[in-house]
Amino acid sequence: RIRDMAELVAARRTMEDKGVKRRRAMAASAMLLSFVGIVAIRHSSEMDPSQETMDTESKSMFRNDVEYQDYPAWSKSVDDINAQNHINHGKWSSIEGPPFVQRITLYSGSGVDITHGGNIVRKVVGIPKNFGKWEGNRFLANFDSQQMRFFQSNKNSALVIPPLSEGNLPILSDYAKGMLKHYVALGHNTLIICGGPASVDFINQNLYSSSEGTLLFQPAWTRGPYEKQEACDGTPFQSLPVTLPTMKGHVHGVRTQSLPQDATSYYETGEGSPGGGVSVIFSLKMAEGQLLYVGFDYSTASEPWIRALTAALEFAS
């Protein structure tokens, strides 16, 4: 009996020792977890609040339902930019650049008939309407606008001015003229002006003047057809027909004698023709860029003249 009592006491001591060890292990684990938590709290409290704010803003910047606040209302949304698979806003080009930089932009302001001739030009250059309106970053309505201030830095692009009606000629301010000349002269851009009663006057009053010592273009009309010149060789006009039709008086040109020496005439009537020589398609170098005049007013969808405008767009490359 004494032996049994001794064995019972020894078993109880063993169990007590195991319990003590288990409680000590649990206490050590609790202390370790507490220490880790304190370190984590201390680390989080030492984070730069501005960095946390920047992370939040950078994530919200590219949400598809939010527009870039830095860009004007006529620009694209973030979803449109991301869809282009490139976000490099430090380059001024339609391939890589801000969303308001387009390869082809169409003037839609004063003097443009957006229902007839201007609408045919819009279809030829391939610019869709924006919910039935001539609005958005592919249309330029005002040469004095914020959009023009951005647009003047574009590269390898074209600005197309549809036929202008007489009496509604846009007369630009000196500031707007400077931006337009900057756009044409720098960045290898092309200004394409379609024919119309006031189109030659637009060139004379906004791009050239006698005060600058430049001979003004003299508007003229003469019966066609208009003959293809050797200057077309090696240019996008090379594939056009040998003559372009008169289109019942809807082709407006300039006298060849009024063209500057650095101008190039692509289609004209010879100097010996009745009324003298008249050029209906010509270009004029302006530093890195050029002005390109296509004399039809696009009152109808004439296939030869549509091909001529399509070829003119190829100069903007």
Side-chain angles (χ1 to χ4, degrees), residues 70-250:
D70 292 341
Y71 294 140
W74 41 261
S75 185
K76 290 183 177 181
S77 66
V78 177
D79 188 39
D80 297 323
I81 300 172
N82 292 339
Q84 298 178 16
N85 295 323
H86 59 265
I87 304 178
N88 189 341
H89 299 181
K91 296 184 179 181
W92 288 95
S93 70
S94 59
I95 300 176
E96 292 182 302
F100 43 78
V101 178
Q102 300 292 327
R103 178 178 175 270
I104 300 176
T105 302
L106 187 64
Y107 175 66
S108 60
S110 175
V112 177
D113 183 1
I114 65 175
T115 60
H116 294 93
N119 201 40
I120 292 178
V121 171
R122 179 189 65 79
K123 293 179 180 179
V124 173
V125 300
I127 297 180
K129 294 181 182 179
N130 185 13
F131 295 101
K133 298 181 179 181
W134 286 42
E135 296 177 350
N137 56 10
R138 302 192 70 178
F139 297 96
L140 177 67
N142 191 337
F143 287 104
D144 274 294
S145 63
Q146 180 192 44
Q147 182 180 3
M148 184 63 196
R149 182 166 61 85
F150 287 118
F151 180 75
Q152 66 173 330
S153 298
N154 207 343
K155 291 180 174 61
N156 301 311
S157 68
L159 173 61
V160 181
I161 300 182
L164 299 173
S165 58
E166 198 168 9
N168 294 312
L169 174 68
I171 304 299
L172 309 186
S173 66
D174 291 340
Y175 178 64
K177 290 178 182 178
M179 288 192 293
L180 182 59
K181 292 178 181 179
H182 179 276
Y183 166 76
V184 180
L186 302 176
H188 304 279
N189 297 305
T190 301
L191 175 63
I192 301 175
I193 300 179
C194 299
S199 298
V200 177
D201 288 339
F202 177 87
I203 299 175
N204 286 332
Q205 296 192 37
N206 296 312
L207 293 171
Y208 291 92
S209 65
S210 57
S211 62
E212 296 177 348
T214 305
L215 183 64
L216 297 178
F217 295 99
Q218 298 176 8
W221 179 90
T222 187
R223 192 182 306 276
Y226 309 103
E227 301 171 7
K228 186 177 184 179
Q229 305 298 303
E230 292 183 358
C232 292
D233 296 343
T235 73
F237 293 132
Q238 182 173 344
S239 61
L240 297 184
V242 293
T243 62
L244 291 174
T246 303
M247 300 305 298
K248 299 181 179 179
H250 288 275

